[in-house]
Amino acid sequence: MTLLRFRDVALRRGVVTALDGLSFEVARGERVALVGPSGCGKTTALRLAAGLDAPDAGAVEWPDGRPRAGIVFQDPTLLPWASAFDNVRLPLRLAGADGAAARARVEEALALVGLADSARLRPRELSGGMRMRVSLARALVTGAELLLLDEPF
């Protein structure tokens, strides 16, 4: 079953062609890696898949409807004043979920990435790798059907 489909997608930024004629499908449960040199359009494709940008031509399709997607950007993009726990809880809070169930989901996501003991730390108190794992936990906490990871390693 196809989760995501790019059909002849093109995107231009001024005089720069970021993508031109990109076509592929991602099936439910499949792992796909976009590999290429710096500047070839990998991040642009992820932003299109996340719905953060729209193509100039072609189509980005979700045959079964837009899935819940979690995205981990190249940089952690954490709230500097918030704890690791609160950074992971953010998408749940924005969706109106709070209380014991939300707290349990955040604790589970932090444990999954090995940061259960670091929940109270602020980003400045975490190593670079730990900050990336907080970002990953934030993407996982929503129960995303599609994980978009932009240079996560």
Side-chain angles (χ1 to χ4, degrees):
M1 181 184 310
T2 300
L3 182 66
L4 169 67
R5 178 181 301 125
F6 274 54
R7 194 174 334 165
D8 206 25
V9 170
L11 184 75
R12 291 168 188 80
R13 298 278 190 229
V15 297
V16 174
T17 298
L19 297 173
D20 189 20
L22 180 62
S23 296
F24 67 92
E25 292 187 6
V26 178
R28 194 169 297 280
E30 186 175 30
R31 291 182 185 103
V32 175
L34 301 177
V35 179
S38 180
C40 74
K42 300 179 301 289
T43 297
T44 300
L46 287 177
R47 291 182 58 81
L48 289 166
L52 299 174
D53 287 325
D56 294 325
V60 177
E61 302 169 343
W62 299 270
D64 293 335
R66 187 183 298 262
R68 285 186 320 274
I71 187 165
V72 177
F73 296 99
Q74 288 180 22
D75 295 315
T77 63
L78 301 176
L79 302 173
W81 59 86
S83 67
F85 183 93
D86 288 334
N87 269 287
V88 173
R89 185 178 67 168
L90 180 63
L92 298 177
R93 211 173 101 219
L94 292 174
D98 214 353
R103 175 178 275 296
R105 287 170 61 185
V106 172
E107 290 170 352
E108 180 182 346
L110 283 167
L112 187 62
V113 298
L115 293 175
D117 294 335
S118 301
R120 292 185 179 177
L121 299 178
R122 306 254 185 281
R124 71 179 177 278
E125 300 170 300
L126 301 170
S127 71
M130 293 168 85
R131 287 191 297 269
M132 287 305 295
R133 287 187 283 150
V134 170
S135 291
L136 179 57
R138 186 174 53 197
L140 294 169
V141 77
T142 62
E145 299 167 278
L146 178 64
L147 285 176
L148 302 166
L149 309 174
D150 194 1
E151 298 193 30
F153 306 111

